[in-house]
Amino acid sequence: MRILVTGGAGFIGTATVRTLTAAGHDVVVLDSLRADVHGDRAAPDLPAGVPLVRADVRDAAAVRDALADADAVVHLAAKVGLGVGIDDIDDYVASNDLGTAVLLRAAAEQAPHVVYASSMVVYGEGAYRCAEHGGVHPPPRAEADLAAGVFDPRCPACGRVLVPGLVAEDAPLDPRNVYAATKAHGERLLAAWTRATGASATALRFHNVYGPGMPRDTPYAGVASIFRSEAEHGRAPRVFEDGGQRRDLVHVDDVAAAVRAAVERPQGAGRVEAFNVGSGTVSTIGEVARRVAELLGAPEPVVTGEWRAGDVRHVTASSERAGRVLGWRAAVGLDDGLAELVGGTDRVGRTGT
């Protein structure tokens, strides 16, 4: 199968390209190598023989040329990060919304299967239950609660603190920052495109991706990378709120395997199918900080109590549907993955697939 991977020179992209080529697919990478993502790194670590088209995904002519004879497109190219404020809202929208639109317009005629990198952030908060009112989708947390150290969302009907659970793909989308809004809009654009073209598409809602090659000391670094950077310098990792924020950290090789499964198993013409891509293991931010500090012999993490109004408290996934439909399940445990990330050990059997 001939596959175009946009953003294929990035963190998730290079792992995905390794996995697809190892499976025998013919891969072409399109990547702008923008400095705010790649820094001053040397040429990307792509498998031998994989062509790299250095172009922005908003360059319609370059995208059309790269798409030639493609059977599938893996669309990873995006401006990522927090997107909590509005100072760079125009860059997020131009990079992500317009970039996706240009790609889909170029792909309309040949209508390849599209695998779109979405995110857990499209949900806003995760799944919650109230003891009195059952399943509840909470509004944004009140700043007065955050300032008072009450970090868990409250039931909008009775004010009780809610109990978190696992979010499934049928949960309503409630993006709560600029980046999240662009990811949710990308799914909507994809739905319109599949209806118009009769093509198939899959949206993979990645949870907190980590692993070798992840960026550090940039706006795009994940929490594990930030903690690693602090611990490597002998500093105690700093943990916001009370450290109890629940997350699902999924290894980049497992994410790449999910992309391969989605590429090889289109789910039907004229529609988008969405799948959560998480490890299935719930961890707290405080636990991750402690594990990273221990692996690097750094001081115990400092729980600061700081908070950001745009952050969500708990968002962890049920990835059962991806297992049932795509035949994909995460294989890398968090302890092994974090040890590999910080350089303490090599994960046994790591092949990038």
Side-chain angles (χ1 to χ4, degrees), residues 19-259:
T19 294
L20 293 174
T21 55
H25 296 295
D26 180 15
V27 177
V28 175
V29 169
L30 184 143
D31 199 301
S32 67
L33 301 181
R34 58 188 290 173
D36 56 353
V37 176
H38 297 270
D40 57 359
R41 288 191 306 171
D45 183 21
L46 296 174
V50 172
L52 169 63
V53 178
R54 183 168 183 175
D56 195 292
V57 73
R58 294 167 289 185
D59 183 338
V63 171
R64 282 195 301 270
D65 289 345
L67 271 167
D69 302 319
D71 302 295
V73 177
V74 176
H75 182 34
L76 302 174
K79 177 180 172 68
V80 299
L82 294 174
V84 172
I86 61 170
D87 290 345
D88 50 3
I89 185 173
D90 49 346
D91 193 15
Y92 274 100
V93 171
S95 299
N96 298 358
D97 292 357
L98 180 58
T100 298
V102 169
L103 173 69
L104 294 178
R105 181 179 180 185
E109 184 174 344
Q110 64 193 71
H113 176 56
V114 175
V115 177
Y116 172 69
S118 188
S119 171
M120 65 170 189
V121 297
V122 299
Y123 295 118
E125 288 284 355
Y128 291 87
R129 292 194 65 81
C130 171
E132 180 177 350
H133 296 98
V136 171
H137 188 71
R141 295 179 291 173
E143 292 196 14
D145 277 348
L146 295 172
V150 179
F151 298 118
D152 287 304
R154 295 181 182 273
C155 175
C158 68
R160 286 187 174 91
V161 171
L162 298 171
V163 178
L166 300 180
V167 65
E169 292 86 351
D170 58 356
L173 302 192
D174 183 20
R176 296 189 178 183
N177 59 51
V178 173
Y179 170 65
T182 65
K183 282 292 156 182
H185 190 227
E187 291 196 27
R188 302 305 191 201
L189 292 175
L190 204 57
W193 181 81
T194 55
R195 286 193 295 269
T197 62
S200 59
T202 302
L204 298 179
R205 294 172 180 165
F206 300 153
H207 281 244
N208 295 87
V209 186
Y210 75 102
M214 73 185 303
R216 65 173 78 191
D217 301 323
T218 77
Y220 311 105
V223 66
S225 180
I226 294 170
F227 292 155
R228 175 187 62 179
S229 181
E230 291 293 298
E232 283 178 339
H233 289 88
R235 298 189 294 263
R238 292 173 60 82
V239 179
F240 277 24
E241 301 188 10
D242 60 359
Q245 307 94 304
R246 289 160 48 103
R247 296 292 187 268
D248 184 330
L249 273 67
V250 58
H251 194 277
V252 68
D253 286 351
D254 283 331
V255 169
V259 172

Side-chain angles (χ1 to χ4, degrees), residues 316-349:
T316 53
S318 168
S319 297
E320 184 275 334
R321 186 167 186 265
R324 177 168 44 84
V325 177
L326 298 179
W328 171 86
R329 289 175 177 81
V332 182
L334 184 61
D335 286 336
D336 286 346
L338 288 178
E340 180 189 24
L341 173 68
V342 303
T345 66
D346 290 326
R347 181 163 52 81
V348 175

